[in-house]
Amino acid sequence: MATARAGVLRSPVYIVDGVRTPVGKFGRSLRDFKAVDLAALTIRELLERTSVDPSHVELAVYGHVIRAGTHMNTAKQAAIKAELRNDVEGFTSTWCAPVEWPP
């Protein structure tokens, strides 16, 4: 398992693709969806697009800036809802990048 200790990863890291959730306005078309459910959809889509074997996933990294109401680690919750192994680690970044990123 890829784990970070003092800034050193113990195994290679591969970024295979990226998928984002839909963008909506507060209280409008996406109001009935929970953030974790939307995140799980993106993980499933990523796996389908890339044909990555879910058993090879060791870490889920997810960006989620306003986490109100989602309780704990969004990435871990989304990984579980996307039916990845329960031992997949999750890291949720609360930093924001513009939709156009990278420029």
Side-chain angles (χ1 to χ4, degrees):
M1 184 173 294
T3 56
R5 302 254 191 263
V8 177
L9 289 173
R10 303 208 187 278
S11 59
V13 173
Y14 302 94
I15 299 173
V16 295
D17 199 350
V19 179
R20 69 157 293 125
T21 57
V23 177
K25 293 189 178 202
F26 183 77
R28 300 267 177 93
S29 61
L30 300 173
R31 72 180 169 272
D32 295 329
F33 292 92
K34 294 182 180 180
V36 172
D37 294 332
L38 288 171
L41 287 172
T42 63
I43 292 172
R44 284 192 218 97
E45 175 65 22
L46 181 101
L47 293 172
E48 187 175 316
R49 277 189 200 180
T50 60
S51 300
V52 169
D53 182 343
S55 69
H56 293 156
V57 177
E58 296 177 352
L59 173 66
V61 178
Y62 214 87
H64 188 186
V65 178
I66 302 172
R67 294 180 47 214
T70 58
H71 307 292
M72 300 176 70
N73 187 341
T74 305
K76 177 67 176 183
Q77 291 179 70
I80 291 169
K81 282 191 174 251
E83 300 179 359
L84 295 178
R85 296 183 335 268
N86 283 336
D87 66 337
V88 170
E89 295 183 43
F91 173 77
T92 302
S93 171
T94 56
W95 286 88
C96 185
V99 174
E100 306 85 28
W101 190 265

